[in-house]
Amino acid sequence: MPDWLSPAEWDALRLSLRVAFWATLVSLPPALLVAHALARWRFPGHGLLNGLVHLPLVLPPVVTGYVLLLTLGRRGFVGQYLDQWFGIVFAFRWTGAVVAAAVMAFPLMVRAIRLSVEAVDPKLEQAAGSLGASRPWVWATVTLPLILPGVIAGAILAFAKAMGEFGATITFVSNIPGETQTLPSAIYSFLQVPGGEGAAARLALVSVAVAMTALVASEFLARRATRRVQGR
């Protein structure tokens, strides 16, 4: 444990990393599917799906958190059945923080992957299909390698967004030290008490460092993946 971080500050950092990791991981499969659907398929409700995916970007995060509470809370439309039938509870748990962070980061991941899919020449996929390859095999061997830079960039940007998520998280899972208190929540808490400015400043520096590292890593890995795809 770094000497310049208190146990409470270290707990907030560790929880933020944990939440961001799982939020990114659980978002990736549906993001791949939704991005491919928006880029390549035309179906009734295409515009509605696109709007729903990007809605968290334009809604106040508190509203998103409130919708999650109404939906997945213990008495929510879905949450009450998850609790009664499976014993799964998201509200006021770190797993709920994962859900909130995933919802807020999802549009960024989808957008990055969608742009990569749209940049792939469909004729390449058609050529592979004409040789007898199935659609899943074409996607795994042709499409996925070509969109890999966008997938990497989207995943890392989603991770950084999840690390900094505050409004939806505090509304859905509150601000419980050791359970749901992530870096932004801890900074907010420290700023509410006398003498907490130093701890808030330290955590703010940690947040900046993590975000900058994620952005630099995203650019580096995306460029490396692009060079590999181009055979350089």
Side-chain angles (χ1 to χ4, degrees):
M1 183 185 304
D3 294 337
W4 48 277
L5 289 179
S6 70
E9 294 163 20
W10 176 248
D11 285 344
L13 173 58
R14 182 172 56 187
L15 180 61
S16 290
L17 291 171
R18 184 184 185 188
V19 167
F21 171 79
W22 283 107
T24 303
L25 189 64
V26 300
S27 297
L28 188 55
L32 285 167
L33 176 61
V34 171
H36 189 85
L38 291 176
R40 292 294 172 81
W41 302 343
R42 291 296 176 265
F43 52 89
H46 183 278
L48 178 61
L49 176 60
N50 185 57
L52 288 175
V53 167
H54 292 90
L55 196 58
L57 289 180
V58 295
L59 278 178
V62 173
V63 174
T64 302
Y66 181 59
V67 171
L68 288 174
L69 191 60
L70 292 177
T71 306
L72 297 176
R74 282 184 178 271
R75 298 183 180 179
F77 304 124
V78 178
Q80 60 179 320
Y81 299 109
L82 291 176
D83 185 17
Q84 294 172 8
W85 296 349
F86 306 104
I88 298 175
V89 177
F90 288 111
F92 310 110
R93 304 283 178 85
W94 77 269
T95 50
V98 171
V99 173
V103 169
M104 295 301 296
F106 190 71
L108 295 177
M109 189 183 296
V110 169
R111 184 167 181 79
I113 298 174
R114 179 183 178 180
L115 291 175
S116 294
V117 174
E118 291 175 342
V120 175
D121 189 349
K123 293 181 180 178
L124 296 174
E125 298 167 320
Q126 294 169 5
S130 67
L131 296 175
S134 64
R135 287 189 177 181
W137 186 250
V138 170
W139 187 88
T141 59
V142 177
T143 309
L144 183 58
L146 292 175
I147 68 173
L148 189 57
V151 174
I152 294 173
I156 297 180
L157 287 175
F159 179 87
K161 173 63 176 177
M163 282 286 296
E165 166 51 32
F166 174 68
T169 301
I170 200 170
T171 304
F172 183 39
V173 298
S174 190
N175 184 11
I176 306 171
E179 179 66 30
T180 65
Q181 189 176 76
T182 57
L183 277 177
S185 301
I187 293 172
Y188 174 80
S189 296
F190 283 126
L191 289 175
Q192 305 307 305
V193 298
E197 293 83 1
R202 286 193 296 272
L203 290 183
L205 289 175
V206 170
S207 299
V208 171
V210 171
M212 286 301 300
T213 300
L215 292 174
V216 171
S218 173
E219 183 70 16
F220 172 77
L221 292 174
R223 288 188 177 185
R224 185 174 180 181
T226 300
R227 288 197 299 268
R228 181 174 298 178
V229 169
Q230 295 175 345
R232 297 179 184 176

